[in-house]
Amino acid sequence: MKKPFFDFQIDSRCKSTLARACSIKTPNGIVNTPRFMPVGTLGTVKGVTSNQLEKTGAEMILANTFHLHLQPGERIVQDAGGLHEFMNWKKPILTDSGGFQVFSLAKLNKIDDAGVSFQSPRDGKQIFLTPEKAIEIQMALGSDIAMAFDHCPPYPASESEVEEACKRTHHWLERCLNAHNKDDQAVFGIVQGGCFPNLRKISAKIVSGFDLPGIAIGGVSVGEPISQVHKIVRETCPLLPEDRPRYLMGIGTLREMAVAVANGVDLFDCVIPTRLGRHGSALVNGDTFNLRNTRFKDDYKPLDSSCPCEACTGYTRAYIHHLIRNKELLGLTLLSLHNLTHLIRFTGAMRQAILEGCFSEDFAPWQSDSKARHTW
């Protein structure tokens, strides 16, 4: 399914692993992978302006179809000129379809083959989301990449339950593609299958058969052990087309991203950096610092002396500790900026290592030891 405004190329490969450095061309710019995507669920990465976000090195962000449909509504966004104009973000945007809310709002929804009936978490009203409606909303939002509507099963779930979710996901993908008619927007399919290798294999084959511009690995980070995430990635990536981007949904920790990149994954997203920031914590070279702790009250070093973010180049740990202890909003913004920069720098360093031919050597510790250290 060729798209005139969408292109993908592999710039370099690691000789010892399946890692690759790639370029994804979209209507609103190029995304250089591996790359972490900040999550801006409601058209905003929480507590961060678009200008600040650009300085973190972000090249593509993620927004959520379901939540933007609830507020402000896709027609408001469309009349503003699309999501890029509405939120003043000039670079690429990927929109999730609302499929994850099938999992996260399980107590508020009812699923059948036609679609999902939701009880709005805002006002309790009933909402019926179908594959066609999910695509209609995403076309109105004007994202560069739209995700197909899928059924994301929880963990644990029986093999028969996961198989049913897979069949529904594949049927919904076909309906999404039949409803989609926007040339400057790519649609990515999603491979499901839970922790069952046979179902992952079937799903990968079916989704790959649609000849899509890109494919995501879904149904991870839903409660399963992290060893299962590694297993799913190792077993699923070789089943996906090499000439398309691969997106691992909902993952944003250093070790897991390194393992995934070594197995051929290109894109990641996760709420971790801003969520930790809002709770007063900073990611520093594999550790998590709680800036509320009194040990930081007279620590006049930057969070990370190697980090180019505004928090690290302009402020000390003691000052940010002071902000956090006094519930000043600036502290939460600074920590969020740092955490976003931290993850984007990590994926950028992996890309550079692939280009320079040293990925396997430099990032092997991150693939085997959760306490690994690396001066990247």
Side-chain angles (χ1 to χ4, degrees):
M1 188 177 71
K2 294 182 178 180
K3 287 288 180 180
F5 299 96
F6 191 88
D7 193 25
F8 174 78
Q9 69 178 34
I10 299 174
D11 303 318
S12 184
R13 296 178 186 269
C14 173
K15 294 181 180 179
S16 304
T17 72
L18 297 176
R20 70 250 190 102
C22 306
S23 301
I24 305 171
K25 178 186 175 183
T26 80
N28 285 283
I30 293 175
V31 182
N32 297 294
T33 73
R35 182 65 50 166
F36 175 82
M37 299 183 292
V39 175
T41 300
L42 279 162
T44 172
V45 177
K46 293 184 183 298
V48 175
T49 69
S50 294
N51 286 337
Q52 290 172 322
L53 185 60
E54 187 170 358
K55 291 177 182 177
T56 67
E59 292 184 347
M60 181 158 62
I61 65 170
L62 179 146
N64 184 270
T65 298
F66 176 76
H67 289 292
L68 285 169
H69 173 62
L70 295 183
Q71 175 64 40
E74 62 273 16
R75 296 307 164 198
I76 295 291
V77 176
Q78 186 175 42
D79 290 346
L83 189 55
H84 293 87
E85 289 294 323
F86 192 56
M87 67 175 292
N88 189 32
W89 176 251
K90 308 306 182 186
K91 293 187 176 185
I93 298 175
L94 180 150
T95 42
D96 193 3
S97 66
F100 185 74
Q101 281 64 51
V102 176
F103 160 76
S104 65
L105 299 177
K107 294 181 180 179
L108 299 176
N109 70 46
K110 182 180 179 181
I111 307 168
D112 59 33
D113 289 343
V116 183
S117 297
F118 288 94
Q119 183 180 358
S120 170
R122 289 181 173 268
D123 56 18
K125 291 182 180 178
Q126 286 296 123
I127 298 167
F128 189 54
L129 192 59
T130 65
E132 292 80 8
K133 184 64 176 178
I135 287 295
E136 177 188 327
I137 295 168
Q138 291 181 88
M139 288 193 294
L141 293 175
S143 56
D144 299 85
I145 298 173
M147 299 304 300
F149 193 50
D150 65 320
H151 182 179
C152 177
Y155 179 88
S158 69
E159 185 170 359
S160 61
E161 290 171 328
V162 176
E163 183 178 15
E164 182 181 6
C166 283
K167 290 179 178 178
R168 188 168 286 138
T169 292
H170 304 151
H171 176 56
W172 285 356
L173 172 57
E174 184 174 9
R175 289 170 57 186
C176 284
L177 295 176
N178 288 337
H180 189 263
N181 58 13
K182 188 172 173 60
D183 283 342
D184 60 348
Q185 183 182 64
V187 177
F188 281 20
I190 303 174
V191 172
Q192 290 291 347
C195 297
F196 301 98
N198 58 317
L199 296 181
R200 286 282 176 183
K201 184 175 182 179
I202 292 170
S203 186
K205 182 178 180 179
I206 292 174
V207 174
S208 298
F210 283 92
D211 194 28
L212 301 166
I215 297 178
I217 300 173
V220 297
S221 197
V222 293
E224 74 281 3
I226 202 65
S227 60
Q228 284 293 330
V229 177
H230 296 169
K231 185 173 185 290
I232 290 167
V233 169
R234 285 195 301 269
E235 293 175 349
T236 305
C237 274
L239 305 174
L240 304 179
E242 284 197 0
D243 61 345
R244 314 294 161 89
R246 299 163 179 163
Y247 163 31
L248 182 60
M249 306 180 79
I251 294 295
T253 49
L254 302 190
R255 183 187 181 195
E256 279 56 63
M257 288 195 294
V259 169
V261 167
N263 284 279
V265 172
D266 307 302
L267 294 170
F268 306 89
D269 81 281
C270 191
V271 298
I272 283 177
T274 50
R275 178 175 290 172
L276 284 176
R278 296 196 307 277
H279 287 85
S281 294
L283 296 168
V284 181
N285 203 22
D287 283 331
T288 301
F289 290 177
N290 183 349
L291 270 295
R292 288 189 174 86
N293 289 347
T294 56
R295 72 184 178 101
F296 295 111
K297 70 178 181 179
D298 56 357
D299 187 341
Y300 302 109
K301 297 189 295 294
L303 285 172
D304 181 348
S305 60
S306 70
C307 180
C309 80
E310 185 175 356
C312 292
T313 57
Y315 304 94
T316 65
R317 297 173 180 182
Y319 180 67
I320 297 174
H321 166 80
H322 157 71
L323 296 177
I324 297 300
R325 289 296 291 263
N326 286 282
K327 300 181 179 179
E328 289 288 342
L329 295 179
L330 177 59
L332 310 185
T333 293
L334 290 174
L335 289 177
S336 294
L337 285 172
H338 168 74
N339 291 341
L340 289 165
T341 304
H342 183 76
L343 296 188
I344 292 168
R345 285 179 68 215
F346 186 77
T347 52
M350 287 194 286
R351 174 181 171 83
Q352 192 61 33
I354 296 167
L355 293 173
E356 294 176 359
C358 56
F359 171 82
S360 182
E361 177 183 350
D362 287 356
F363 287 89
W366 287 102
Q367 298 171 48
S368 58
D369 181 3
S370 61
K371 294 297 183 182
R373 296 292 180 271
H374 181 70
T375 53
W376 37 274

